[in-house]
Amino acid sequence: MERDKNFVLGIYDDEDVLLNAVTQIRQSGVKIHEVFSPYPVHGLEHNLGYRRSRLPIAAFLFGLLGTTLALTMQFYMMKFDWPMIIGGKDHASFPAFIPVTFELTVLLAAFGMVGVFMVSSNLKPWGQPRIFDIRSTDDKHVMAIDLVNNSHLERERIVEVLKASGATEVNNKSFE
Amino acid sequence: MQVTSSVREPLVTGGKTYKDVTSDVSRQVEGKPTVGWLLGMAVSLGALLLGSIALVATLWEGIGMWGLNKTVGWAWDITNFVWWVGIGHAGTLISAVLLLFRQKWRTSINRAAEAMTIFAVICAAMFPVIHMGRPWLGAYWALPLPNTFGSLWVNFNSPLLWDVFAISTYFSVSLVFWYIGLIPDFATIRDRATGIRKTIYGALSFGWDGAAKTWMRYEAVSLILAGLATPLVLSVHTIVSFDFATSVIPGWHTTIFPPYFVAGAIFSGFAMVLTLMIITRKVFKLEDYITIVHIELMNIVIIITGSIVGIAYITEFFIAWYSGVEAEQYAFVNRMFGPYWWAYWSMMTCNVISPQLFWFKKIRTSIVATFILSIVVNIGMWFERFVIIVTSLHRDFLPSSWVMFYPTLSDVGVYLFTFGLFFTCFLLFAKFFPVINMAEVKSVLKSSSEKVKR
């Protein structure tokens, strides 16, 4: 038996039951592989003990890059490469450069962050997700528990814990 | 944790379960196109084809095909541009600003409103592109590309160039925001589909699996994108208004333009969302998701922005008088009582008086009245741009160049083309994409549906 192949699935109908279940199950020493939900459940990532996403930092850095690139480009073109007098103003008319700087900051921040999101979450058009239970994109929350990762526990014990936590169904799932 | 309010109306009526949401929204994506949809598609494609004759004529012969002359150098082209961009403001406002303000009612309308935004911005961008005359060379005039003049760059002091950056950033960020929201819903459709449809929606869903970790990142991305899109949406119409405000034409040279244009944009955008959503909810039987509460809330936004626009009109007049600048005073008196008085008074009636009817609860909760008024508002907003642009130009500084503007068939045809394009795109969206954000509606369902509650 290899890791990441054989799972026990707990199916939950209600998000509040799920939230309590996650806390209970983790306290009883069972390691949760992942929970799949049809919609974002607030507080779930906290109960699962995930670290806060660092995507905002990525967005900030990409934004900073946008600001720098935009200002460098405009000063280079307008002041150094081909200085032109427009309306008697200084070549380097900083206030006039702000709108384009703002737009490029937003553009790079948005695209950079979304790019990092796609890569870090492994989202791509040819991506083939592992579907644990097809209802997890419809109306059920599916909790997957890796059997090998929890080899210190009996399978029956895991099922027991899942049932006690309010799972409406407990199933097995194996991948090739 | 969801909190149920005993005071507020539920956001979703009809006691829907999670499964109901999935099947109600996926139904039209999966079913055969209805007769109404095919009819709508035929009309839109007809408009598109008819309009493309005018478009081809304009591109072939040049913009001399339009009714512009030496005095009125900007008319329908920029009127239509500003009008479409204005309409394109509601979607991002609903999805970004209302997300930041935690207005949960946005969930059932944001998807369609964002789609409308994207298509409206495409229609808007048509006009600056066509008006360049030889758009295939346009990249050299609009973008800072190296060229054979070694390099003579674009002018970063010009609001017209700022517009290029503003509109293209707005379009691409809105598109990404919209698509990120679509991914989980495409996954839902993928998991219900079979055969070729499964492959197509599978590719569109980017391999989404709904893992808690991915949802956490998705939420972070949505929040940051909303934070970025909020100043962005305000910047776009601000910069559009700079096209006029930074000039020295009496009637344009006013500092009130940015907030006044932004309010007008939200005003017309919400009106267009209402026009489209009232039809969509009826045709697709989504009355339980887009309820009368949604319509009423949008009407309230229309009262607010309509009143801001009304105050802006009056302020402009007051300042024209108070400034003591004769040319400015003349421009405004000419708007009201000059040869274009009919355009001015249409604008006043449609934009200032008609939205005030929404103070009556009977009117703002009536679907028929809302539908009619939403169209009236957009007619008024078209006239607003026409009044600002044409009446300020047609009486030049030299009385010998005073003229009137008469649109030609090409002017009308190109405008018709954008209508055809807009509705064709929207109908395709409504058929093949989930028109309601299923995942987000499910996330607010618990606070609004009896059956889901425990």
Side-chain angles (χ1 to χ4, degrees), chain B residues 133-373:
Chain B
R134 286 179 288 172
W136 47 94
L137 298 175
Y140 286 107
W141 304 320
L143 300 173
L145 295 178
N147 51 61
T148 51
F149 299 106
S151 288
L152 178 61
W153 301 109
V154 289
N155 177 13
F156 284 103
N157 293 308
S158 165
L160 295 175
L161 186 74
W162 304 344
D163 236 1
V164 173
F165 282 86
I167 302 286
S168 43
T169 302
Y170 182 58
F171 173 74
S172 38
V173 172
S174 302
L175 188 70
V176 166
F177 199 4
W178 181 62
Y179 199 83
I180 293 284
L182 273 165
I183 289 176
D185 282 2
F186 281 143
T188 302
I189 294 175
R190 169 199 70 202
D191 289 347
R192 289 164 58 94
T194 48
I196 182 81
R197 293 167 46 81
K198 197 175 184 73
T199 317
I200 294 171
Y201 285 104
L204 288 172
S205 69
F206 278 45
W208 177 270
D209 59 1
K213 192 163 248 165
T214 317
W215 274 122
M216 174 182 78
R217 294 187 180 126
Y218 169 95
E219 293 266 275
V221 166
S222 300
L223 191 63
I224 301 285
L225 277 182
L228 289 169
T230 301
L232 183 65
V233 69
L234 300 181
S235 84
V236 173
H237 231 59
T238 300
I239 292 174
V240 168
S241 81
F242 285 168
D243 292 350
F244 306 100
T246 57
S247 73
V248 287
I249 307 287
W252 290 2
H253 189 59
T254 54
T255 47
I256 199 178
F257 262 29
Y260 155 32
F261 268 52
V262 170
I266 296 164
F267 181 53
S268 66
F270 268 70
M272 187 57 106
V273 172
L274 278 170
T275 312
L276 293 175
M277 293 320 277
I278 286 174
I279 301 173
T280 310
R281 77 195 276 274
K282 184 88 197 147
V283 173
F284 290 159
K285 299 187 183 66
L286 296 169
E287 283 97 339
D288 282 328
Y289 299 93
I290 303 158
T291 61
I292 207 78
V293 178
H294 290 97
I295 292 174
E296 189 181 354
L297 286 167
M298 282 196 273
N299 282 335
I300 291 172
V301 176
I302 287 189
I303 306 179
I304 296 166
T305 48
S307 303
I308 297 174
V309 168
I311 289 170
Y313 293 162
I314 297 163
T315 311
E316 267 190 322
F317 261 91
F318 172 76
I319 295 297
W321 167 75
Y322 188 70
S323 69
V325 179
E326 269 179 54
E328 193 77 21
Q329 290 170 349
Y330 177 76
F332 281 91
V333 172
N334 181 50
R335 273 185 197 176
M336 225 182 226
F337 303 111
Y340 283 111
W341 63 270
W342 47 271
Y344 180 81
W345 291 107
S346 317
M347 160 190 112
M348 276 308 228
T349 321
C350 296
N351 288 355
V352 184
I353 299 165
S354 71
Q356 302 303 326
L357 292 173
F358 284 138
W359 286 105
F360 300 101
K361 193 164 173 101
K362 264 236 162 65
I363 295 179
R364 71 168 182 269
T365 51
S366 151
I367 289 167
V368 177
T370 304
F371 185 71
I372 295 169
L373 282 173

Side-chain angles (χ1 to χ4, degrees), chain A residues 18-28 32 47-48 143:
Chain A
L18 172 75
L19 283 172
N20 291 330
V22 168
T23 317
Q24 263 182 45
I25 290 168
R26 289 186 73 217
Q27 272 166 1
S28 61
I32 297 171
N47 289 13
L48 282 166
M143 185 190 293

